[in-house]
Amino acid sequence: MRFALACLPTLTIAACGARLIPNTEVEDTPDNRAVIEFCERYRLAIEAVDVPLLVSLAADDYYEPGSPTTGEDDYDRGGLEEVLRTRFARIDAIRYDILYRRIHHGPDRVDVLYTFHGRFQVTRGDQDPVWHSKVGDNRLVLVRTPAGFRISGGM
């Protein structure tokens, strides 16, 4: 009986929790669904190695800070295409999964925090293709425009 009473508050809190968008840790709201729908366009563009589409998803003021000590590898929207083409040059195939963790809607931007699992197939010369894997956390910074969302950082 004590165990049942001790568990009651936990069960009540769990039952009253917000409904999540399936396969995410994000509350199911129309705004969050719109953000994830946009981010899925980004994810699919990565898998398709579609550099023009990725560049089109970037905001006019896109900026990516590089090394905090030199700043030599910083780039803006103008340099984004070259950076993407360089990164994708040696990759034959990509599988990019995203687990959306949190979305924060601010007055002038939306922060999308997620964990990614990227798998990249690379062929070097006449060797057999090799798959590499990378898991990490990232943040996309989105801005709202009349045309919808655009990415201002984090690609």
Side-chain angles (χ1 to χ4, degrees), residues 7-142:
C7 291
L8 188 58
T10 303
L11 293 173
T12 303
I13 290 169
C16 295
R19 209 171 87 221
L20 303 180
I21 296 171
N23 302 314
T24 76
E25 296 177 359
V26 176
E27 184 178 357
D28 192 350
T29 68
D31 288 341
N32 287 345
R33 281 192 176 266
V35 167
I36 288 177
E37 183 179 310
F38 174 81
C39 291
E40 281 297 292
R41 289 181 55 210
Y42 162 73
R43 184 187 69 78
L44 292 171
I46 290 174
E47 287 190 340
V49 190
D50 191 337
V51 172
L53 177 56
L54 287 166
V55 171
S56 78
L57 296 176
D60 291 338
D61 65 348
Y62 184 88
Y63 183 75
E64 201 64 51
S67 169
T69 55
T70 66
E72 293 176 10
D73 51 355
D74 296 1
Y75 57 93
D76 58 10
R77 189 174 195 274
L80 178 62
E81 182 172 356
E82 180 182 341
V83 168
L84 292 172
R85 287 198 188 286
T86 301
R87 287 181 183 167
F88 290 151
R90 297 172 303 201
I91 296 175
D92 300 323
I94 298 176
R95 177 70 182 138
Y96 196 74
D97 296 316
I98 292 178
L99 173 60
Y100 297 97
R101 300 263 184 202
R102 192 170 63 226
I103 296 175
H104 174 72
H105 297 269
D108 59 344
R109 72 186 219 182
V110 177
D111 290 331
V112 181
L113 298 134
Y114 65 92
T115 299
F116 67 88
H117 181 195
R119 289 162 315 278
F120 313 92
Q121 184 184 47
V122 179
T123 302
R124 294 195 177 132
D126 54 353
Q127 297 176 352
D128 289 337
V130 176
W131 282 92
H132 298 276
S133 182
K134 183 174 182 181
V135 175
D137 294 320
N138 197 26
R139 177 183 65 183
L140 279 179
V141 179
L142 309 181

Side-chain angles (χ1 to χ4, degrees), residues 38 143-150:
F38 174 81
V143 292
R144 291 178 186 89
T145 70
F149 294 108
R150 292 292 177 262

